[in-house]
Amino acid sequence: MKAFTALPLAAALSAGMASAALADWPTDRPIEMIVAFAPGGGTDIMLRTLAPFLEAELGTQFPVLNRPGASGEIAYTALSQARPDGHTVSSLNTPGFLTMRIDRKLRFDPAEICPIARIVEDPGTFIVQPDSEFQSLADVVAFAKENPGAVSVATTGMGTDEHLAMLQLEQAAGIDLTAVPFGGANEAKTALLGGHVTMIGLNVGEYATSDQDSFRALAQFSEERSTLAPDLPTAKELGYDVIMSSERGLAARCDVPEEIRTRLSQAVDAAIADPEFQGKAKQQGIPLSYQSGADWSAAMPARLERYTQIFQLIKQEQ
């Protein structure tokens, strides 16, 4: 009988210890922030800019660890293997987080990763060297029709927004392009400047803060022109139905206690609302577009369906 009466007491003690741990979180140690791309790209800049403001909100450090490769799979795998105690978060980027499950077996289960908050939505663009023979998107299309596969496009991996934009342009224009994956936007820029690729996929925010004398943008892939590049026409204006943007935010393991995930979400919300952070975001060309983790999650199934349709169109032509 004593053994049975001790069980509720043990459960109560365990619950009390868990509550105490939550109350102390996260002051006992830093919260590691894994970034799925190489240093210097849009995701890396966004999170390094945000980190000090999260540190102020939560009273702990947010060291950044770059784990680039496989369109983000390396970072998501690392997150899925971390302890579910709220001391590890990672960047979350769509479309890559969604598209990687379409055509390959993953080393992590996407259902085990929960968005904390979306921070940015940034339209894509294709850029070339300033002295490139291609003065417009129409020039690229015309050349690609005459030389299938000769136009190479640097991306940050299969299924990323640049890759999907490339696939859409192939479909819309009836051309064949060659994707060349890199670990991050800076590596892609270096390849372009070195003449190793014809053009690169980049986000408007990254282009707007780049040296405008070093690159020329051809079009942006949004319904309307971004305020960051009001003089850059959309692909739709030029007659090509290409719509693609990069969403960037933060995620944690879903089995991290809900109270901790909620506090993380609240900290992101407060940090983004800070006028000082907003000033820095504007200066660095970070197109803020906050969305709660729940709202972002709710929007993902429709996005996944659209991305899957893009992949299926390409496979039908192969």
Side-chain angles (χ1 to χ4, degrees):
M1 188 69 179
K2 288 182 179 179
F4 287 99
T5 55
L7 285 175
L9 177 59
L13 288 172
S14 177
M17 292 173 64
S19 297
L22 287 175
D24 291 340
W25 182 89
T27 55
D28 55 337
R29 69 180 195 271
I31 299 173
E32 186 175 81
M33 184 184 291
I34 302 172
V35 177
F37 299 95
T43 301
D44 182 71
I45 291 172
M46 175 193 76
L47 292 180
R48 288 182 186 274
T49 303
L50 183 66
F53 295 89
L54 291 178
E55 292 173 350
E57 289 294 328
L58 292 172
T60 192
Q61 294 181 318
F62 273 78
V64 175
L65 175 64
N66 295 87
R67 297 291 298 273
S71 306
E73 184 180 354
I74 291 174
Y76 302 137
T77 301
L79 176 64
S80 71
Q81 295 172 346
R83 293 176 60 185
D85 56 7
H87 288 277
T88 306
V89 297
S90 86
S91 60
L92 183 65
N93 296 62
T94 69
F97 176 69
L98 298 172
T99 57
M100 64 177 61
R101 69 192 73 176
I102 295 174
D103 65 343
R104 69 180 191 259
K105 182 176 177 61
L106 302 175
R107 290 171 288 176
F108 73 98
D109 182 356
E112 295 178 353
I113 294 180
C114 284
I116 294 170
R118 185 184 79 175
I119 301 168
V120 158
E121 183 171 20
D122 197 356
T125 181
F126 283 156
I127 67 174
V128 296
Q129 290 190 23
D131 57 352
S132 169
E133 62 183 293
F134 304 117
Q135 298 291 313
S136 66
L137 195 60
D139 289 344
V140 173
V141 169
F143 182 84
K145 285 185 175 181
E146 296 294 328
N147 304 274
V151 174
S152 55
V153 184
T155 76
T156 52
M158 177 174 284
T160 56
D161 55 308
E162 310 97 61
H163 183 227
L164 291 189
M166 189 199 85
L167 295 180
Q168 288 182 81
L169 181 59
E170 286 183 322
Q171 178 68 23
I175 57 177
D176 181 21
L177 306 171
T178 298
V180 183
F182 290 88
N186 269 5
E187 295 176 15
K189 288 179 185 178
T190 300
L192 178 65
L193 293 175
H196 304 297
V197 293
T198 309
M199 61 184 183
I200 72 174
L202 205 63
N203 293 113
V204 169
E206 294 169 312
Y207 167 71
T209 55
S210 299
D211 181 359
Q212 301 294 300
D213 294 329
S214 299
F215 306 103
R216 183 193 310 124
L218 301 179
Q220 55 182 306
F221 308 131
S222 52
E223 291 285 356
E224 298 179 352
R225 298 187 185 191
S226 169
T227 56
L228 295 175
D231 297 327
L232 181 63
T234 67
K236 292 192 74 171
E237 290 177 52
L238 302 175
Y240 306 104
D241 189 12
V242 182
I243 303 293
M244 186 54 56
S245 64
S246 169
E247 295 178 294
R248 307 174 201 139
L250 278 176
R253 286 181 52 156
C254 295
D255 54 355
V256 169
E258 184 177 357
E259 296 93 335
I260 290 179
R261 286 189 282 116
T262 298
R263 287 182 65 184
L264 279 166
S265 181
Q266 291 170 343
V268 173
D269 192 6
I272 290 175
D274 188 309
E276 184 181 352
F277 172 77
Q278 292 186 1
K280 289 180 178 295
K282 184 177 181 180
Q283 181 183 23
Q284 296 177 6
I286 301 174
L288 298 177
S289 183
Y290 175 82
Q291 200 169 55
S292 70
D295 288 345
W296 196 12
S297 293
M300 285 186 181
R303 285 173 169 76
L304 176 58
E305 182 179 358
R306 176 169 169 254
Y307 302 148
T308 302
Q309 290 173 352
I310 294 172
F311 271 87
Q312 288 175 340
L313 284 172
I314 300 304
K315 288 180 179 180
Q316 289 171 7
E317 295 180 353
Q318 293 177 343

mmCIF file with all atom_site columns, all heavy atoms in Angstrom, residues 5-18:
data_model
loop_
_atom_site.group_PDB
_atom_site.id
_atom_site.type_symbol
_atom_site.label_atom_id
_atom_site.label_alt_id
_atom_site.label_comp_id
_atom_site.label_asym_id
_atom_site.label_entity_id
_atom_site.label_seq_id
_atom_site.pdbx_PDB_ins_code
_atom_site.Cartn_x
_atom_site.Cartn_y
_atom_site.Cartn_z
_atom_site.occupancy
_atom_site.B_iso_or_equiv
_atom_site.pdbx_formal_charge
_atom_site.auth_seq_id
_atom_site.auth_comp_id
_atom_site.auth_asym_id
_atom_site.auth_atom_id
_atom_site.pdbx_PDB_model_num
ATOM 1  N N   . THR A 1 5  ? 0.791  4.730  -2.455  1.00 0.00 ? 5  THR A N   1
ATOM 2  C CA  . THR A 1 5  ? 0.585  6.089  -1.960  1.00 0.00 ? 5  THR A CA  1
ATOM 3  C C   . THR A 1 5  ? 1.793  6.972  -2.261  1.00 0.00 ? 5  THR A C   1
ATOM 4  O O   . THR A 1 5  ? 1.682  8.188  -2.333  1.00 0.00 ? 5  THR A O   1
ATOM 5  C CB  . THR A 1 5  ? 0.334  6.084  -0.447  1.00 0.00 ? 5  THR A CB  1
ATOM 6  O OG1 . THR A 1 5  ? 1.420  5.419  0.191   1.00 0.00 ? 5  THR A OG1 1
ATOM 7  C CG2 . THR A 1 5  ? -0.962 5.369  -0.131  1.00 0.00 ? 5  THR A CG2 1
ATOM 8  N N   . ALA A 1 6  ? 2.967  6.356  -2.467  1.00 0.00 ? 6  ALA A N   1
ATOM 9  C CA  . ALA A 1 6  ? 4.171  7.149  -2.752  1.00 0.00 ? 6  ALA A CA  1
ATOM 10 C C   . ALA A 1 6  ? 4.181  7.678  -4.171  1.00 0.00 ? 6  ALA A C   1
ATOM 11 O O   . ALA A 1 6  ? 4.813  8.685  -4.457  1.00 0.00 ? 6  ALA A O   1
ATOM 12 C CB  . ALA A 1 6  ? 5.419  6.301  -2.523  1.00 0.00 ? 6  ALA A CB  1
ATOM 13 N N   . LEU A 1 7  ? 3.460  7.008  -5.092  1.00 0.00 ? 7  LEU A N   1
ATOM 14 C CA  . LEU A 1 7  ? 3.484  7.429  -6.492  1.00 0.00 ? 7  LEU A CA  1
ATOM 15 C C   . LEU A 1 7  ? 2.957  8.844  -6.689  1.00 0.00 ? 7  LEU A C   1
ATOM 16 O O   . LEU A 1 7  ? 3.591  9.655  -7.352  1.00 0.00 ? 7  LEU A O   1
ATOM 17 C CB  . LEU A 1 7  ? 2.715  6.421  -7.346  1.00 0.00 ? 7  LEU A CB  1
ATOM 18 C CG  . LEU A 1 7  ? 3.451  5.100  -7.595  1.00 0.00 ? 7  LEU A CG  1
ATOM 19 C CD1 . LEU A 1 7  ? 2.540  4.136  -8.350  1.00 0.00 ? 7  LEU A CD1 1
ATOM 20 C CD2 . LEU A 1 7  ? 4.717  5.344  -8.398  1.00 0.00 ? 7  LEU A CD2 1
ATOM 21 N N   . PRO A 1 8  ? 1.777  9.198  -6.154  1.00 0.00 ? 8  PRO A N   1
ATOM 22 C CA  . PRO A 1 8  ? 1.309  10.578 -6.325  1.00 0.00 ? 8  PRO A CA  1
ATOM 23 C C   . PRO A 1 8  ? 2.271  11.591 -5.743  1.00 0.00 ? 8  PRO A C   1
ATOM 24 O O   . PRO A 1 8  ? 2.473  12.672 -6.293  1.00 0.00 ? 8  PRO A O   1
ATOM 25 C CB  . PRO A 1 8  ? -0.026 10.581 -5.575  1.00 0.00 ? 8  PRO A CB  1
ATOM 26 C CG  . PRO A 1 8  ? -0.463 9.150  -5.575  1.00 0.00 ? 8  PRO A CG  1
ATOM 27 C CD  . PRO A 1 8  ? 0.802  8.367  -5.453  1.00 0.00 ? 8  PRO A CD  1
ATOM 28 N N   . LEU A 1 9  ? 2.919  11.244 -4.618  1.00 0.00 ? 9  LEU A N   1
ATOM 29 C CA  . LEU A 1 9  ? 3.867  12.158 -4.009  1.00 0.00 ? 9  LEU A CA  1
ATOM 30 C C   . LEU A 1 9  ? 5.073  12.362 -4.921  1.00 0.00 ? 9  LEU A C   1
ATOM 31 O O   . LEU A 1 9  ? 5.538  13.484 -5.125  1.00 0.00 ? 9  LEU A O   1
ATOM 32 C CB  . LEU A 1 9  ? 4.323  11.607 -2.654  1.00 0.00 ? 9  LEU A CB  1
ATOM 33 C CG  . LEU A 1 9  ? 5.404  12.434 -1.917  1.00 0.00 ? 9  LEU A CG  1
ATOM 34 C CD1 . LEU A 1 9  ? 4.887  13.842 -1.657  1.00 0.00 ? 9  LEU A CD1 1
ATOM 35 C CD2 . LEU A 1 9  ? 5.804  11.742 -0.610  1.00 0.00 ? 9  LEU A CD2 1
ATOM 36 N N   . ALA A 1 10 ? 5.563  11.240 -5.518  1.00 0.00 ? 10 ALA A N   1
ATOM 37 C CA  . ALA A 1 10 ? 6.699  11.346 -6.447  1.00 0.00 ? 10 ALA A CA  1
ATOM 38 C C   . ALA A 1 10 ? 6.338  12.187 -7.658  1.00 0.00 ? 10 ALA A C   1
ATOM 39 O O   . ALA A 1 10 ? 7.133  13.001 -8.130  1.00 0.00 ? 10 ALA A O   1
ATOM 40 C CB  . ALA A 1 10 ? 7.132  9.944  -6.891  1.00 0.00 ? 10 ALA A CB  1
ATOM 41 N N   . ALA A 1 11 ? 5.116  11.978 -8.162  1.00 0.00 ? 11 ALA A N   1
ATOM 42 C CA  . ALA A 1 11 ? 4.668  12.761 -9.313  1.00 0.00 ? 11 ALA A CA  1
ATOM 43 C C   . ALA A 1 11 ? 4.590  14.238 -8.975  1.00 0.00 ? 11 ALA A C   1
ATOM 44 O O   . ALA A 1 11 ? 4.978  15.108 -9.764  1.00 0.00 ? 11 ALA A O   1
ATOM 45 C CB  . ALA A 1 11 ? 3.312  12.248 -9.796  1.00 0.00 ? 11 ALA A CB  1
ATOM 46 N N   . ALA A 1 12 ? 4.103  14.530 -7.779  1.00 0.00 ? 12 ALA A N   1
ATOM 47 C CA  . ALA A 1 12 ? 3.985  15.928 -7.360  1.00 0.00 ? 12 ALA A CA  1
ATOM 48 C C   . ALA A 1 12 ? 5.357  16.570 -7.234  1.00 0.00 ? 12 ALA A C   1
ATOM 49 O O   . ALA A 1 12 ? 5.573  17.718 -7.646  1.00 0.00 ? 12 ALA A O   1
ATOM 50 C CB  . ALA A 1 12 ? 3.234  16.016 -6.037  1.00 0.00 ? 12 ALA A CB  1
ATOM 51 N N   . LEU A 1 13 ? 6.310  15.810 -6.657  1.00 0.00 ? 13 LEU A N   1
ATOM 52 C CA  . LEU A 1 13 ? 7.660  16.339 -6.522  1.00 0.00 ? 13 LEU A CA  1
ATOM 53 C C   . LEU A 1 13 ? 8.293  16.593 -7.886  1.00 0.00 ? 13 LEU A C   1
ATOM 54 O O   . LEU A 1 13 ? 8.957  17.603 -8.096  1.00 0.00 ? 13 LEU A O   1
ATOM 55 C CB  . LEU A 1 13 ? 8.522  15.352 -5.723  1.00 0.00 ? 13 LEU A CB  1
ATOM 56 C CG  . LEU A 1 13 ? 8.217  15.250 -4.222  1.00 0.00 ? 13 LEU A CG  1
ATOM 57 C CD1 . LEU A 1 13 ? 9.012  14.106 -3.600  1.00 0.00 ? 13 LEU A CD1 1
ATOM 58 C CD2 . LEU A 1 13 ? 8.533  16.561 -3.530  1.00 0.00 ? 13 LEU A CD2 1
ATOM 59 N N   . SER A 1 14 ? 8.058  15.641 -8.823  1.00 0.00 ? 14 SER A N   1
ATOM 60 C CA  . SER A 1 14 ? 8.600  15.795 -10.178 1.00 0.00 ? 14 SER A CA  1
ATOM 61 C C   . SER A 1 14 ? 8.025  17.023 -10.856 1.00 0.00 ? 14 SER A C   1
ATOM 62 O O   . SER A 1 14 ? 8.738  17.807 -11.492 1.00 0.00 ? 14 SER A O   1
ATOM 63 C CB  . SER A 1 14 ? 8.294  14.547 -11.002 1.00 0.00 ? 14 SER A CB  1
ATOM 64 O OG  . SER A 1 14 ? 8.750  14.715 -12.325 1.00 0.00 ? 14 SER A OG  1
ATOM 65 N N   . ALA A 1 15 ? 6.703  17.221 -10.716 1.00 0.00 ? 15 ALA A N   1
ATOM 66 C CA  . ALA A 1 15 ? 6.057  18.386 -11.320 1.00 0.00 ? 15 ALA A CA  1
ATOM 67 C C   . ALA A 1 15 ? 6.589  19.674 -10.724 1.00 0.00 ? 15 ALA A C   1
ATOM 68 O O   . ALA A 1 15 ? 6.806  20.668 -11.415 1.00 0.00 ? 15 ALA A O   1
ATOM 69 C CB  . ALA A 1 15 ? 4.545  18.290 -11.133 1.00 0.00 ? 15 ALA A CB  1
ATOM 70 N N   . GLY A 1 16 ? 6.830  19.629 -9.380  1.00 0.00 ? 16 GLY A N   1
ATOM 71 C CA  . GLY A 1 16 ? 7.355  20.817 -8.719  1.00 0.00 ? 16 GLY A CA  1
ATOM 72 C C   . GLY A 1 16 ? 8.739  21.168 -9.201  1.00 0.00 ? 16 GLY A C   1
ATOM 73 O O   . GLY A 1 16 ? 9.070  22.333 -9.420  1.00 0.00 ? 16 GLY A O   1
ATOM 74 N N   . MET A 1 17 ? 9.580  20.135 -9.396  1.00 0.00 ? 17 MET A N   1
ATOM 75 C CA  . MET A 1 17 ? 10.927 20.371 -9.909  1.00 0.00 ? 17 MET A CA  1
ATOM 76 C C   . MET A 1 17 ? 10.892 20.930 -11.319 1.00 0.00 ? 17 MET A C   1
ATOM 77 O O   . MET A 1 17 ? 11.671 21.815 -11.674 1.00 0.00 ? 17 MET A O   1
ATOM 78 C CB  . MET A 1 17 ? 11.718 19.069 -9.878  1.00 0.00 ? 17 MET A CB  1
ATOM 79 C CG  . MET A 1 17 ? 12.033 18.572 -8.467  1.00 0.00 ? 17 MET A CG  1
ATOM 80 S SD  . MET A 1 17 ? 12.797 16.937 -8.455  1.00 0.00 ? 17 MET A SD  1
ATOM 81 C CE  . MET A 1 17 ? 14.329 17.290 -9.290  1.00 0.00 ? 17 MET A CE  1
ATOM 82 N N   . ALA A 1 18 ? 9.963  20.409 -12.170 1.00 0.00 ? 18 ALA A N   1
ATOM 83 C CA  . ALA A 1 18 ? 9.843  20.903 -13.537 1.00 0.00 ? 18 ALA A CA  1
ATOM 84 C C   . ALA A 1 18 ? 9.428  22.363 -13.547 1.00 0.00 ? 18 ALA A C   1
ATOM 85 O O   . ALA A 1 18 ? 9.940  23.178 -14.319 1.00 0.00 ? 18 ALA A O   1
ATOM 86 C CB  . ALA A 1 18 ? 8.826  20.063 -14.306 1.00 0.00 ? 18 ALA A CB  1
#
